[in-house]
């Protein structure tokens, strides 16, 4: 999970169901990047994805990848 979504993306402890992150396929990663910049939403680039850390997305990491 951390390799794909970053070190802050963790699964819930024990048997509690939940999400560590969500991956989205986008048609144009450059357009997605520009939207994140214009929205003042902090993000990082990990591998081939733009990743919003869970502390900035209601506790779930968001990964955007080129479709």
């Amino acid at each position: 999970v951390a390799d794909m979504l970053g070190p802050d993306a963790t699964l819930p402890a024990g048997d509690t169901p939940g999400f560590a992150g969500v991956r989205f396929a986008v048609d144009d990663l450059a357009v997605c990047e520009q939207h994140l910049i214009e929205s003042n939403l902090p993000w990082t680039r990990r591998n081939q994805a733009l990743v919003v850390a869970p502390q900035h997305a209601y506790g779930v990491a968001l990964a955007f990848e080129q479709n």
Side-chain angles (χ1 to χ4, degrees), residues 31-46:
V31 170
C32 182
E33 181 177 7
Q34 189 60 39
H35 180 72
L36 292 172
I37 291 168
E38 290 172 1
S39 299
N40 293 318
L41 191 59
W43 57 275
T44 58
R45 189 175 293 275
R46 293 187 66 78

Side-chain angles (χ1 to χ4, degrees), residues 38-66:
E38 290 172 1
S39 299
N40 293 318
L41 191 59
W43 57 275
T44 58
R45 189 175 293 275
R46 293 187 66 78
N47 302 322
Q48 301 297 320
L50 306 176
V51 178
V52 178
Q55 60 266 33
H56 303 293
Y58 298 100
V60 177
L62 307 175
F64 301 91
E65 297 180 346
Q66 184 74 38

